Amino acid sequence: MDPNQVNLVRDSFVQVLLDSDAAARLFYDRLFLLAPDTRPLFRNDMTEQGRHLISALAKIVTGLSSLDVMLPGLRKLAERHVGYGVEDRHYAVAGDALMHMITVHGGSTIDSATMQAWKSAYALVADVMIAASNDYRDLHDAA
């Protein structure tokens, strides 16, 4: 991602932070609508889960300008997601839910360049996490 894309993501994420509980609810409502099979993966209080989501997104958004620092954390997050039962196919649905959340909460600040920046950021994160998940599964399947 180029610095302009990073800035577009950061600037638009502020709108999510202004009403983060509602944004998280919107994300999970969309996720469960598109992939009802993901609902049982979430056993905790959904308000608290939403706060974890927004916190993780904030770390990712902040880390976009220093990927080398962020990558180990993404790999660990991916390993935890394997333990929760997340499958590779869930990343596409989560991406859709994220884009929906950004579009709704970004309002008029979301233009095509901003959406493309978010799609690039998510693709980068999802690719890293899917690869890390598969490495983790391969390592543990071989053991």
Side-chain angles (χ1 to χ4, degrees):
M1 292 185 65
D2 66 49
N4 183 54
Q5 287 180 308
V6 171
N7 288 333
L8 288 171
V9 168
R10 281 189 182 156
D11 292 348
S12 59
F13 188 64
V14 170
Q15 297 302 314
V16 170
L17 293 175
L18 292 175
D19 196 357
S20 60
D21 286 345
R25 275 192 308 275
L26 185 65
F27 173 88
Y28 286 111
D29 287 349
R30 179 79 172 180
L31 179 71
F32 299 150
L33 175 70
L34 296 174
D37 64 306
T38 62
R39 181 63 186 98
L41 302 178
F42 299 92
R43 296 180 193 101
N44 297 329
D45 173 71
M46 288 309 294
T47 300
E48 186 63 27
Q49 179 62 42
R51 291 182 182 139
H52 289 298
L53 169 71
I54 299 301
S55 175
L57 286 173
K59 288 178 185 173
I60 290 167
V61 167
T62 302
L64 288 174
S65 60
S66 53
L67 291 176
D68 55 327
V69 174
M70 183 177 59
L71 290 178
L74 282 179
R75 289 186 187 105
K76 291 290 185 194
L77 182 62
E79 291 172 7
R80 286 195 307 272
H81 277 77
V82 169
Y84 303 146
V86 173
E87 300 173 16
D88 291 354
R89 65 185 175 84
H90 293 139
Y91 285 91
V93 180
D96 182 293
L98 177 65
M99 296 313 134
H100 180 71
M101 179 187 79
I102 296 302
T103 300
V104 170
H105 279 272
S108 62
T109 66
I110 303 298
D111 58 14
S112 62
T114 303
M115 282 310 297
Q116 187 54 51
W118 272 101
K119 288 176 183 176
S120 295
Y122 186 74
L124 180 121
V125 169
D127 288 349
V128 168
M129 290 184 68
I130 289 169
S133 296
N134 289 326
D135 290 347
Y136 183 79
R137 284 186 198 102
D138 290 346
L139 182 65
H140 286 82
D141 288 346

